[in-house]
Amino acid sequence: MIQEYIKRVQSGEDCSEVIAKFFDEAKRIENYNYFTVLTPELAKEQALLVSKRIKAGEFLPLAGLPVTIKDCICVKGVETTAGSDILRGYKPLFNASVVQRLINAGAVIVGKTSQDEFGFGGFGINTGVGFSPAKNPLDPSRVCGGSSSGCGGITRKTSLAHVGIGESTGGSIVNPAAFCGVFGLCPTYGRVSRYGLIDYANSLDKIGSLAKDLGDCASVMSVISGFDEMDETTSTCPVPDYGSFLAKGVKGLRVARIKEAFGEGVDEHIKNKVHSVITNLEKQGASIREVSIPVVAEYAVPVYYLIAMSEASTNLAKFCGMRYGQHAPLKGSFDEYFSAVRTRHFGAEAKRRILLGTFARMAGYRDAYYLKALKIRTLIIEEYKKVFCSSDVLVSPTMPVIPPVFEDVKRLTPLQNYMMDILTVGPNLAGLPHLSVPVNKEWVGVMFTADHYKEELLFQAGGGCG
Amino acid sequence: MVDALIGMEVHVQLNTNTKLFCRCPTLSGIPNTKTCPTCLGHPGSKPVLNKRAFHYAIKFALALNCSIAQSLVFSRKTYFYPDMSKNYQITQYELPLAVNGKVVLDSGKEIRIKRLHIEEDPAGLVHEEISLVDYNRSGIPLVEVVSEPDISSAEEARDFMKKLMSILNYLDIFDASSGVIKADVNVSVKKNNFERVEIKNVTGFKEIERAIEYEIHRQNNEQVVRETRSWNADLGKTFSLRKKETEEDYGYITEPDIIVRQIPKLVIDKLSQEIPELPAQKAERWVKNFKIDSVDARIIASDPQVASLYEEVAFQCDKILSARWVRRELLRVLNTAGVKLSDTALKAYHLIPLFKLLERKEITDRTGQQLIRELAQSPFDVGLRVKNDGLSAVGDVSEIGKLVDLVLDENVQALQDYRKGEQKAFEFLVGQIMKKAKGRAKPDVVRTLLLEKA
């Protein structure tokens, strides 16, 4: 879809008009809370530059494309808070590598999208102090999902060409993609540079894209993927032209249905929808089988939370009212000072995760929790690897429920909340690429998971969902 | 059983051009000018390992006879302190770069090295009316060397530090003029059942020795509790920082932003080949092949510049004479002047003619000493100087005979004392004759003539 627009811009059409329209639209739907900040000035500048570069004969693969960036990703000179009050006023000195690649490719950055504070949530309601939760684009009484909530919402709501850049630690791309009825691709860990991403859990964080069209996801992924010398964990593995796999067809594709993902706790309505997608794939010549991944099913959620919270509790230590973000009058000892700043400016879920994460890595508990979680993570990766010996992609629902209304979410206990991630944490823990495809453009997603650096198989499978 | 057990944790700043995890220069300067988002701990920044620092650390570990780990793994050590840009330090924990090394002291005693690891330096704190942070230091590569508590005195600690320093000099991985060496020192004494006291952050060679001396004395004279103390160099005392019920809990996790690197044997072998012959091996070889004195050998070998000067000189001159003169004269002159060889313009080609003259006894030792002093200040052509200033040794019997007569005439009392059997008086007379000869008379001729005439 965006390709048609990009072609027009590339052939000389001024993109400023579309960019201006985007801001008009954003203003009209302000009460959906999709943005932490809009960047009309920056966008205007970038749009001008795009015109100039095209006139100078440059080919820009994302010419004039309006792109939104999840708030946890640094944009130079633009307030970047990861949805947290403690970082209010912080304007990074540099662009995240992803942002720089998008700008180089001719994209126009139009704003930062809202999220759960630091990514700590699956409904978009764990917003930082003073931030408001995003509302579902299909029914504002319901949540968008999270943590890339604003990203999911605006991607569905906008009528214009647009791709959203999201970030996933335990499912934060596919979750809002499913709830908002759009495509969401979370790549292999190490496929896209994290330089400039405000860390939630560094061994789990991945940057990916959300779009109304799978081809749009592919166009953007081809631009942002690849090795970056600023992030050691990126891979030098070559980046294929993902778009070329969309129309390849699924004939002969080995699709494995995850047995445990259709068990108790998953809405029947959702199971049925996903089954119809599987039947459709089979009709097109995909071979369907069933696999069981009991270790993932049993342990992925606790292992994920132990590792994610342990890492998060160290990442959040740097926010102490020195150097950037919120400050307080200098009073008392250093300990008293930073404790006061953190008490005031961190939200409840951030505090909960700092406490749990710190506990799990302290002497006496470290062996039983943090180190054991690392060991089981290895077992989980091994279990997936075994499955991929005989399958190309795994298939499951993305979320076990449809987006709940805000009132219902408030009644969930933290544990029930964490269990919402049961289907998405597996691939996230193992660093596997996964894609959520909306069924009939509704708020049910079917999730495909592929082996490391096999994103093209996801595009192939997704392309076959019609 | 010894009376004191001392273990050292020595922190050495490596002399790489850039910091451990970013490309900022490792220079000091106007505070907070050598910084970037990474060493300031800005959100979104990521560490990227400086491979040179990694290789320097491997060389250091190999030089300390350590075994090297199969992979390089970093950890986060979390604690809140104003000098920490991220409130965690990237260091190594469970799997240090190297373990099980040793350092051999002059006495032959072995000090075991428990572990050696790489970590980042925190920022510097400046305490004025208010406390200020200088992030220029933040992220400078450090190597931490941890010894077993095998050291039993301040002198041994000094020798241990000297040995480390000498190896660092040979490897050229530490800049003594701008780099800093710090140590945390554990001291415990028998009298107090070896209750362990840690002295934190002692900076510099001399202070480490002083702190240990003070602490041993203190522990032998008062009740000792398990605690952490600090060293106040101005007062020359240690002070209690905090009582230590248990080990501090830093909640270590694996650093996820830095990939785990395998350390292939090939890399270790290559780095091992880059290590020059180290001081201990050098000294051993000289004693064996050159037959020089072992103390001379050890002292000359401890400084790479002095050692290479000696090797050059010894290639052309008498090896034993050269060793004696380099150690006893040249090094004494340099020490007295408080300079290092590299601070002077002195080269082997200045010393070779001098040592040749000494070897052939064409100048006296006195003249030789004088010439070395002058050479250390500003070098010159020794042959030419000896010729122009007429410094050649005088062996002419009639010439020296005249001086002997003169001295005997002037020192009747000494002559009588000698005749009564006082050997001291004889030496005194020799001295007087040498003085008259301006140090140029050959001592054996002087002695022979004096014996005849007195």
Side-chain angles (χ1 to χ4, degrees), chain B residues 324-389:
Chain B
R324 209 170 56 224
W325 276 82
V326 166
R327 181 207 152 191
R328 290 178 211 174
E329 294 306 325
L330 179 61
L331 289 183
R332 191 177 51 79
V333 167
L334 294 176
N335 280 345
T336 312
V339 294
K340 287 187 305 208
L341 181 61
S342 50
D343 301 330
T344 73
L346 191 64
K347 295 281 179 301
Y349 57 76
H350 299 119
L351 291 179
I352 290 165
L354 175 67
F355 291 176
K356 289 244 182 237
L357 289 169
L358 286 164
E359 209 179 307
R360 296 196 294 260
K361 297 199 189 304
E362 287 174 17
I363 55 171
T364 62
D365 287 2
R366 282 267 295 265
T367 308
Q369 288 164 353
Q370 180 58 33
L371 286 171
I372 278 207
R373 262 197 301 278
E374 288 172 25
L375 281 172
Q377 276 165 15
S378 74
F380 46 82
D381 183 324
V382 170
L384 212 61
R385 167 70 65 89
V386 168
K387 197 172 155 208
N388 290 349
D389 292 9

Side-chain angles (χ1 to χ4, degrees), chain B residues 135-150:
Chain B
Y135 291 92
N136 285 355
R137 205 183 76 188
S138 173
I140 287 184
L142 294 181
V143 164
E144 178 174 330
V145 179
V146 182
S147 85
E148 296 285 358
D150 293 347

